Amino acid sequence: MLGDLAELEALRQQPHALQLNLHRPAGQKLQRVHLKIVRLGDPVPISDVLPMLENFGLRVISERPYELAWPEGGAAWIQDFELEQRDGLIVHIARMEGTFREGFAAAWSGAVENDGFNRLLLGAELTARQIVMLRAYCRYLLQTGVPFSQAYMERALGANAGIARNLVRLFQTRFEPAASRSLRARERNAENLVAQIRSGLDAVTSLDDDRILRAYLTLVEATLRTNFYQPGADGQPKRYVSFKYDPAKIPDLPLRARSSRSSSTARASRACTCAWAMSRAAACAGRTGARTSAPRFSA
């Protein structure tokens, strides 16, 4: 109860914000958690929050709302959601609560997209910012004409969380300024991660998943530089992500795209736009997954 009072007091400073708390009552199984949302004014509409929680890989078991009214007028709502990890995974609250609160708040505010990539936050223990990178590569793949929809690629990464996590680690190793002091050490770490990813791919039984994951690996290795780690004027991550690719390392791009270096830019919550030209029909086919002849990525 003292915690609730502290959250209500914090809301007085930011009346339009949400106060979030992830916890697990004693005796509850490890695949279940409770999310408490505290908000001034009206409660959070169930129709708004349920799809968002489902995109984070959580199934809503129940919701218990409590209204708190002040004598001088005004009210606040405490909504306690009982949730279950959809794939039966254990939710490690101690190390994931802060990451989840940050990711949920970003999706709620529109700073990041509310889509199935967010299941990687708990499923692969990635941050919302790391997921932005995987989402941006997906948008690039859609424009190359891969025969898979975004939802299909979301499921492939979610089903292979270990590989998804290593793809992020590979990207960080190659491009994060603080990843390594030595260029040789950075290259050695990248080689080890590529070997781990390839080893993981050998155990993937779905041919479609294998193809999608190899496409991701190809793109990460073909990336020459990125602004992903460059802060904006306000010191926060930029609202868009740019990649510069070596098209010679992406052998199945359209021939005209391989004639020179290509690049793509994606906003954190918008579609990706590539520097090389594509026909409108090809772009639409990539978004819907309806194209029958598509690039094949090998890694």
Side-chain angles (χ1 to χ4, degrees):
M1 188 63 182
L2 291 177
D4 294 339
L5 293 175
E7 290 164 351
L8 290 169
E9 187 61 31
L11 283 174
R12 290 181 181 272
Q13 307 300 320
Q14 296 178 303
H16 300 294
L18 300 179
Q19 287 293 318
L20 307 171
N21 177 269
L22 202 64
H23 63 282
R24 179 181 294 117
Q28 191 166 60
K29 60 183 183 179
L30 298 180
Q31 291 80 6
R32 290 195 179 185
V33 294
H34 283 243
L35 173 65
K36 182 173 61 180
I37 300 178
V38 184
R39 186 188 193 192
L40 293 181
D42 297 326
V44 173
I46 301 298
S47 59
D48 291 347
V49 75
L50 257 63
M52 188 172 295
L53 290 170
E54 290 172 355
N55 278 335
F56 279 98
L58 296 167
R59 186 165 63 96
V60 177
I61 305 300
S62 65
E63 184 245 0
R64 297 177 179 85
Y66 307 93
E67 183 181 13
L68 299 177
W70 287 284
E72 65 273 17
W77 283 86
I78 299 174
Q79 293 166 273
D80 189 9
F81 293 89
E82 183 179 2
L83 310 170
E84 184 173 60
Q85 212 287 332
R86 187 169 53 196
D87 298 320
L89 301 176
I90 294 174
V91 179
H92 299 281
I93 293 179
R95 66 172 182 248
M96 292 305 299
E97 181 185 8
T99 300
F100 180 81
R101 283 193 281 109
E102 178 183 333
F104 187 91
W108 181 263
S109 67
V112 301
E113 290 198 38
N114 174 29
D115 59 24
F117 276 110
N118 290 335
R119 75 187 64 176
L120 292 168
L121 190 142
L122 292 176
E125 297 193 356
L126 300 177
T127 67
R129 180 65 180 166
Q130 290 170 330
I131 293 169
V132 165
M133 180 271 290
L134 294 173
R135 185 182 289 114
Y137 275 127
C138 170
R139 298 300 169 78
Y140 183 82
L141 287 171
L142 290 176
Q143 292 200 23
T144 68
V146 293
F148 308 110
S149 65
Q150 176 173 323
Y152 204 97
M153 287 189 269
E154 291 169 356
R155 288 192 291 271
L157 288 167
N160 298 276
I163 295 176
R165 186 164 49 248
N166 277 336
L167 286 168
V168 170
R169 292 174 61 198
L170 175 62
F171 182 86
Q172 289 177 321
T173 297
R174 296 195 63 213
F175 300 109
E176 187 177 18
S180 175
R181 297 179 181 177
S182 163
L183 177 61
R184 179 54 192 155
R186 185 190 295 265
E187 292 174 346
R188 186 165 54 249
N189 290 341
E191 291 170 0
N192 290 337
L193 285 167
V194 170
Q196 291 180 42
I197 293 169
R198 292 184 189 279
S199 176
L201 287 169
D202 290 340
V204 174
T205 57
S206 166
L207 293 178
D208 285 347
D209 286 6
D210 179 88
R211 187 173 174 184
I212 290 166
L213 296 167
R214 289 182 188 276
Y216 264 92
L217 176 57
T218 295
L219 287 185
V220 174
E221 291 190 293
T223 302
L224 297 172
R225 59 181 180 269
T226 177
N227 74 335
F228 188 81
Y229 294 103
Q230 295 175 0
D234 59 356
Q236 299 300 312
K238 292 184 177 180
R239 297 282 293 179
Y240 62 92
V241 179
S242 296
F243 303 115
K244 185 76 173 183
Y245 305 103
D246 180 356
K249 294 184 178 180
I250 313 176
D252 298 297
L253 282 178
L255 288 176
R256 59 182 171 181
R258 281 184 276 154
S259 61
S260 61
R261 290 184 177 181
S262 60
S263 63
S264 67
T265 301
R267 294 185 62 185
S269 57
R270 293 293 184 270
C272 175
T273 302
C274 298
W276 47 269
M278 287 186 64
S279 70
R280 183 179 299 274
C284 292
R287 279 194 291 272
T288 60
R291 182 169 173 159
T292 54
S293 60
R296 289 186 176 273
F297 291 83
S298 58

